[in-house]
Amino acid sequence: MSLQASQRRITAVDIAGRKRGEKIVSLTAYHAHTAGIVDLYCDFILVGDSLGMVMHGLETTVPVTLEMMILQGRAVMRGSSRALVVVDMPFGSYEESREQAFRNASRVLKETGAGAIKMEGGVPMAETVAFLVKRGVPVMGHVGLTPQAVNTMGGFRVQGRSGEGQKLLEADARAIAEAGAFAIVLEGIVEPVARAITESIEAPTIGIGASPACDGQILVLEDMLGLSDRVPKFVKRFGSLREHIEEAVAAYASEVRAGTFPGPEQVYQPKKS
Ligand code: KIV
């Protein structure tokens, strides 16, 4: 019989049970070292497909592949031990059929060890979400501004500004919650709609640009650390890492040029005989 791990990871079921309870805290992470820090304070870590834009400098998340998500998902699992790890399903890996979605979602769970996957989309994806959940795949939904649909949305636009848009968003969130998603990310949604959705569905809502009415919040780590060049209105910079990194890199460059780095403390010497 194997020994139990001393600390149990938070599960998708734990997150589902937090509806209307203590706020759910989450950030993205793509690397083992940042995952280790986020793990100390967050309930779940999202290995978001935003890694395509943040790590790789892509214009959108559309070109991100399943292999990229699996590689970074493994790194985040190695770096963390407490938080639930959720891995994004990239564009093209789940929309074609329920079978395609199950095949790729099961690869993500098996090859990373993560506890859940996230997929974008509302009413048209509900049947797929139900298919996966019934077969043992915990699914986090994502409605509102869905970045993988940037080419059909015509840009990254705030959702729910019109009465018609509000009805569609509510229908999307309800369909995904009823299909069995354990939580739903609401992205780029005006406050009254985010509030109405949060009050009317049983799955916890996780807001990003969707007001404090949600049951929890998520941000892209590099945005809140002040590492990204441009940050949208909904991001608060809790740090100014870009300045710190630039200062350190400039100091290193000037010491190398001046011949003061490496100094005596950084130099290996032969053993004294
Ligand atoms: O990819 C991502 O980082 C996300 C969050 C913005 C929710 O989906």
Side-chain angles (χ1 to χ4, degrees):
M1 200 173 79
S2 65
L3 287 174
Q4 291 286 316
S6 59
Q7 191 186 33
R8 173 176 92 75
R9 261 193 205 268
I10 295 171
T11 66
V13 175
D14 295 329
I15 298 292
R18 298 269 296 273
K19 181 74 186 179
R20 299 185 191 92
E22 197 192 338
K23 290 272 185 187
I24 299 163
V25 184
S26 175
L27 285 167
T28 61
Y30 320 124
H31 311 102
H33 57 262
T34 49
I37 302 168
V38 170
D39 191 47
L40 300 172
Y41 299 96
C42 288
D43 301 307
F44 76 88
I45 305 174
L46 175 68
V47 186
D49 63 352
S50 52
L51 64 79
M53 298 169 78
V54 176
M55 285 176 69
H56 296 276
L58 294 168
E59 286 286 311
T60 73
T61 57
V62 172
V64 173
T65 65
L66 196 63
E67 278 61 38
M68 289 159 84
M69 298 311 303
I70 290 174
L71 193 64
Q72 300 321 130
R74 280 191 189 141
V76 168
M77 283 299 292
R78 280 194 290 266
S80 62
S81 60
R82 195 191 128 269
L84 169 69
V85 173
V86 182
V87 178
D88 248 342
M89 298 295 290
F91 181 64
S93 71
Y94 61 96
E95 303 90 334
E96 193 180 320
S97 65
R98 309 178 308 181
E99 290 74 14
Q100 181 212 26
F102 183 78
R103 194 163 49 249
N104 288 327
S106 61
R107 259 197 79 191
V108 169
L109 296 187
K110 279 170 186 275
E111 295 180 32
T112 66
I117 56 103
K118 174 166 84 60
M119 57 173 60
E120 295 182 8
V123 172
M125 292 312 301
E127 199 188 323
T128 299
V129 172
F131 187 85
L132 296 194
V133 173
K134 283 185 194 136
R135 284 157 182 78
V137 179
V139 179
M140 176 175 281
H142 183 158
V143 304
L145 193 171
T146 46
Q148 293 176 10
V150 62
N151 291 316
T152 45
M153 286 190 309
F156 297 110
R157 295 180 202 288
V158 173
Q159 305 289 304
R161 287 201 152 127
S162 68
E164 183 53 25
Q166 167 166 357
K167 284 201 197 99
L168 292 174
L169 283 176
E170 288 178 2
D172 280 340
R174 200 173 323 109
I176 298 299
E178 285 170 2
F182 71 90
I184 304 183
V185 169
L186 303 185
E187 178 166 356
I189 295 181
V190 296
E191 177 161 20
V193 181
R195 187 175 302 280
I197 291 174
T198 300
E199 284 169 2
S200 67
I201 64 170
E202 275 318 303
T205 58
I206 312 295
I208 174 161
S211 88
C214 299
D215 297 299
Q217 296 292 325
I218 185 164
L219 283 176
V220 170
L221 181 68
E222 285 75 359
D223 289 348
M224 62 81 85
L225 289 177
L227 197 56
S228 312
D229 288 339
R230 284 182 310 123
V231 287
K233 172 184 167 64
F234 61 83
V235 174
K236 177 172 172 180
R237 284 187 153 151
F238 288 85
S240 47
L241 217 55
R242 195 178 178 87
E243 285 80 29
H244 288 305
I245 293 176
E246 193 174 332
E247 239 172 68
V249 171
Y252 165 77
S254 91
E255 288 200 24
V256 170
R257 290 198 176 100
T260 55
F261 175 82
E265 315 83 71
Q266 289 95 30
V267 174
Y268 295 108
Q269 298 295 350
K271 276 195 181 128
K272 290 193 178 112
S273 52

